[in-house]
Amino acid sequence: MRHNKAINHLGRKSGHRKALLANMATSLILHKRIETTVAKAKALQVYVEPLITKSKDDSTHSRRVVFSYLKNKEAVTELFRTVAPKIADRPGGYTRVLKTGFRQGDGADMALIELVDFNEAALASSTKKAAKKTTRRSSKKAVEAAPAAEVETPAAE
């Protein structure tokens, strides 16, 4: 039974689990999207989101704390220089887990974990939808106003 067990141990000892999550977090920060199993993706989400929140405050202390978790200078630099400014106004929920199906070899449930503000396809579709709505509204007004203008023009001649 796993009553009151807060974290998924992923079938590993604590040192192996910490190294796994640190390496996966580094890859996620550097590549913005990685594919892994659903269990590892959910464990990684819990691991990396507090680090991203910590990166909003660019101080020496927060950089050292994040480095103690990631153990990779390039990932820390990328997190504080590129990721933090993009997520500055977001109050949480920096990652997204998308289930992709099953792995060919052993049938493991696979998922894609990505940083939300770095998915260009999703950002482009959301901005297109918003632009489409505003265009539609203004064109209805223009269409209603245009026939009235055409009717007045022939009467004036």
Side-chain angles (χ1 to χ4, degrees):
M1 287 185 270
R2 59 173 310 276
H3 297 297
N4 297 326
K5 304 295 184 205
I7 64 166
N8 186 352
H9 295 288
L10 302 173
R12 290 161 171 82
K13 302 284 174 108
S14 64
H16 188 186
R17 186 173 54 251
K18 287 174 187 174
L20 171 84
L21 291 172
N23 288 332
M24 288 177 64
T26 298
S27 296
L28 178 65
I29 291 166
L30 293 176
H31 301 293
K32 312 299 186 264
R33 166 188 301 188
I34 57 173
E35 187 174 10
T36 183
T37 62
V38 172
K40 287 179 190 172
K42 289 179 178 179
L44 179 61
Q45 197 171 23
V46 172
Y47 185 85
V48 80
E49 291 212 2
L51 299 180
I52 296 173
T53 302
K54 189 72 91 170
S55 73
K56 288 182 177 182
D57 174 35
D58 191 4
S59 64
T60 305
H61 177 67
S62 59
R63 279 182 180 263
R64 285 179 176 167
V65 169
V66 170
F67 181 76
S68 72
Y69 282 90
L70 295 180
K71 299 171 179 59
N72 187 319
K73 282 184 187 178
E74 291 79 22
V76 172
T77 304
E78 178 77 11
L79 179 63
F80 280 87
R81 284 194 185 154
T82 308
V83 177
K86 249 188 162 174
I87 54 97
D89 58 338
R90 185 177 287 276
Y94 313 112
T95 58
R96 174 187 299 132
V97 176
L98 302 168
K99 294 182 181 178
T100 58
F102 301 98
R103 188 161 48 200
Q104 184 69 34
D106 59 354
D109 204 6
M110 298 299 286
L112 195 71
I113 182 167
E114 62 186 5
L115 295 175
V116 172
D117 291 326
F118 288 88
N119 186 348
E120 290 82 15
L123 291 174
S125 66
S126 66
T127 55
K128 284 181 184 176
K129 287 180 183 176
K132 193 173 185 181
K133 284 183 180 179
T134 57
T135 306
R136 240 179 165 174
R137 287 181 187 151
S138 63
S139 66
K140 278 186 179 179
K141 291 177 185 174
V143 169
E144 291 172 3
E150 291 174 8
V151 173
E152 292 174 15
T153 308
E157 291 176 1

